[in-house]
Amino acid sequence: MIKWMFIKIAVLFVFAVLCSCSAPVKGPAFIAEPEPKDSESLLYIYRPYTTDLSIRKSLFHINGMSVVELQAGGYTAVRLSPGEYELSHSFGPILQGDSSADLGLQIKLKGGTAYFVAMKVSNYPAGTISLRSIDPVVALQEIASCKWQTSSIQKSKL
């Protein structure tokens, strides 16, 4: 009896994990933000959907301050003063010891310009996890399938 109950629980657990891996991110479809003024920069951060690590939220920080937790297929936009920033990424507690998941990127933002940074995962754990600036033409094609996720940062905090 106990063995049968254990098997049922194990099957339900596996089913729940598989369903959560493929659950689509919720939020409005991508809409481009208004162009930034000369006194500000616009930074889009996005994570194209792949099944690799899709169950894990990506934690992003700018200069050490938490910005957003993105699910696979999510994006956010942050308005910042022109200047140099360090954007960092991690997957949080479950993969905390995995240094390949902790990434950093120095970015220099000019006023009146929009920038795109993508976090991409492919064939994890044997493949790659990358965080890099993306050409706007390519980025607009990739981000078009992403859904909005609210940023926790305000321009005045940086």
Side-chain angles (χ1 to χ4, degrees), residues 45-54 56 58 60 70-74 87 89 91 100-103 105 116-124 127-143 145-146:
I45 304 168
Y46 68 101
R47 181 179 170 195
Y49 185 83
T50 66
T51 55
D52 292 312
L53 294 175
S54 63
R56 300 295 302 141
S58 291
F60 291 92
L70 287 183
Q71 292 175 288
L87 177 65
H89 165 272
F91 280 113
S100 68
D102 296 337
L103 306 169
L105 178 67
F116 296 84
V117 173
M119 194 288 289
K120 298 181 180 182
V121 179
S122 63
N123 300 319
Y124 187 83
T128 60
I129 300 173
S130 65
L131 180 67
R132 47 184 115 129
S133 294
I134 305 295
D135 178 85
V137 174
V138 173
L140 286 170
Q141 293 172 352
E142 293 178 338
I143 203 171
S145 62
C146 293

Side-chain angles (χ1 to χ4, degrees), residues 106-118:
Q106 291 289 114
I107 50 175
K108 185 173 184 177
L109 307 178
K110 295 180 183 175
T113 306
Y115 297 86
F116 296 84
V117 173

Side-chain angles (χ1 to χ4, degrees), residues 32-38 40-42 44 79 112-114 116 140:
E33 293 283 315
E35 290 294 317
K37 301 173 187 171
D38 288 341
E40 64 184 7
S41 301
L42 178 60
Y44 289 96
R79 292 184 183 272
T113 306
F116 296 84
L140 286 170

Side-chain angles (χ1 to χ4, degrees), residues 14-72:
V14 170
F15 180 76
V17 168
L18 290 175
C19 287
S20 66
C21 286
S22 60
V25 63
K26 294 183 181 353
F30 173 74
I31 298 174
E33 293 283 315
E35 290 294 317
K37 301 173 187 171
D38 288 341
S39 61
E40 64 184 7
S41 301
L42 178 60
L43 177 63
Y44 289 96
I45 304 168
Y46 68 101
R47 181 179 170 195
Y49 185 83
T50 66
T51 55
D52 292 312
L53 294 175
S54 63
I55 193 171
R56 300 295 302 141
K57 288 184 178 178
S58 291
L59 311 175
F60 291 92
H61 294 81
I62 294 178
N63 291 350
M65 183 175 290
S66 178
V67 177
V68 69
E69 291 184 10
L70 287 183
Q71 292 175 288

